[in-house]
Amino acid sequence: MRVSYLIPALALISSPAFADSPFSFGGSVGYEFPVSGKVIDETSSASVNLTALNSSLAGTGILRLRGTDFKDSSEAPLKATIEVRYALTQTSEMFGAITYSQADGKSANIGCVETIVSGAPVCSIPLTATFSDFKQMGVELGYRQWLESPFMRDRLFPYFALRAGATQTDAISATVAAFVPSNPNAVIGTWNLYDDKVTYVVGGDVGATYLIAPFAEIGAEVGVRYNSKLSEIDTNLTPLGLAAANDKSDRITIPVSVRLNAAF
């Protein structure tokens, strides 16, 4: 950004990009919180031979999946971003960014096994899934606009930003187990849910930076992102009649981060 603000003493307050070169650099780190999207959607299988899935189970049954959100399949991803910024005017800039996100997978209750007991269907065998780690790397292009504000007298610069890009998401799998008294962790299979896939992401941010030195500023921002669907793998799901379980993987996330901008 390049900002100048006239105060009574005619002093110049500028952001780090107010330098001889229009180029500057920025970096941020924070968390990205999923607020929509299903890693496993609500659905039910065909009737399956349970003994073939695990010898601790007996008879036939139906796998009933309750639907599992992305926020339940992993911790909130830690996201790091590096930007190259190009000042267009005193109060606007274009930027290119490289992003990397990672989160540990979690275990979640994903549904139950329904069996027939005394002639009535009973869903009494819990199903849990242990998910693989979540990893993403992406590139983005964006536009940032600073807002004229009386706070600029105090070196505080509010802004909004728009961005779009492409993101590579690593494959996601889940090891699924049933709970029965004879075997509390009766594994019924590892389901490959999504393949490595490049998808698109669009979003926006609002934030503010604070000048801490002639060519450095810190800040914080919050945003919203739409991430398109991942690449489905149905190889393990189709034989069970669960091919629809991974059809709703597009998601909305809320990134919250702190920033450091500098010009050299």
Side-chain angles (χ1 to χ4, degrees):
M1 172 190 64
R2 290 184 172 188
V3 172
S4 61
Y5 193 85
L6 189 62
I7 61 175
L10 299 179
L12 180 66
I13 296 177
S14 65
S15 83
F18 193 79
D20 292 337
S21 169
F23 288 98
S24 61
F25 301 89
S28 66
V29 63
Y31 288 94
E32 189 163 8
F33 300 95
V35 295
S36 76
K38 300 286 187 181
V39 66
I40 296 178
D41 194 20
E42 180 179 358
T43 188
S44 298
S45 74
S47 179
V48 297
N49 182 346
L50 298 177
T51 306
L53 298 180
N54 189 290
S55 59
S56 299
L57 304 174
T60 60
I62 295 174
L63 309 182
R64 296 207 180 275
L65 306 183
R66 64 176 182 81
T68 304
D69 297 336
F70 274 91
K71 65 181 176 64
D72 296 320
S73 67
S74 72
E75 304 293 342
L78 179 66
K79 184 173 185 176
T81 302
I82 297 175
E83 289 182 358
V84 177
R85 308 156 64 206
Y86 182 84
L88 298 173
T89 69
Q90 296 285 78
T91 58
S92 64
E93 69 180 19
M94 298 291 294
F95 61 87
I98 297 175
T99 67
Y100 179 76
S101 302
Q102 182 171 351
D104 292 338
K106 296 196 300 187
S107 294
N109 184 332
I110 64 169
C112 60
V113 180
E114 180 183 281
T115 58
I116 302 298
V117 178
S118 301
V122 177
C123 209
S124 60
I125 303 175
L127 286 176
T128 60
T130 301
F131 293 90
S132 59
D133 294 345
F134 181 85
K135 296 180 181 179
Q136 283 187 325
M137 179 173 287
V139 292
E140 298 175 348
L141 293 175
Y143 172 82
R144 186 173 286 115
Q145 176 69 55
W146 273 264
L147 306 173
E148 295 291 344
S149 167
F151 292 113
M152 287 185 178
R153 295 176 182 268
D154 297 320
R155 302 184 177 185
L156 183 68
F157 307 112
Y159 64 84
F160 70 86
L162 302 173
R163 63 180 71 220
T167 302
Q168 162 77 39
T169 304
D170 286 2
I172 298 174
S173 62
T175 299
V176 182
F179 180 92
V180 291
S182 62
N183 187 353
N185 188 40
V187 175
I188 65 173
T190 295
W191 298 351
N192 294 313
L193 299 172
Y194 304 100
D195 202 355
D196 295 342
K197 175 68 180 294
V198 175
T199 58
Y200 70 85
V201 57
V202 295
D205 306 288
V206 293
T209 56
Y210 184 80
L211 196 67
I212 57 175
F215 299 107
E217 58 190 4
I218 60 172
E221 69 181 21
V222 60
V224 62
R225 304 282 188 275
Y226 172 77
N227 302 264
S228 63
K229 291 178 63 174
L230 301 176
S231 179
E232 305 166 12
I233 303 178
D234 292 336
T235 306
N236 306 121
L237 301 177
T238 298
L240 300 173
L242 294 172
N246 53 0
D247 287 351
K248 294 184 178 179
S249 59
D250 56 326
R251 62 202 186 281
I252 294 175
T253 59
I254 302 294
V256 179
S257 60
V258 294
R259 298 184 52 82
L260 174 65
N261 299 329
F264 299 98

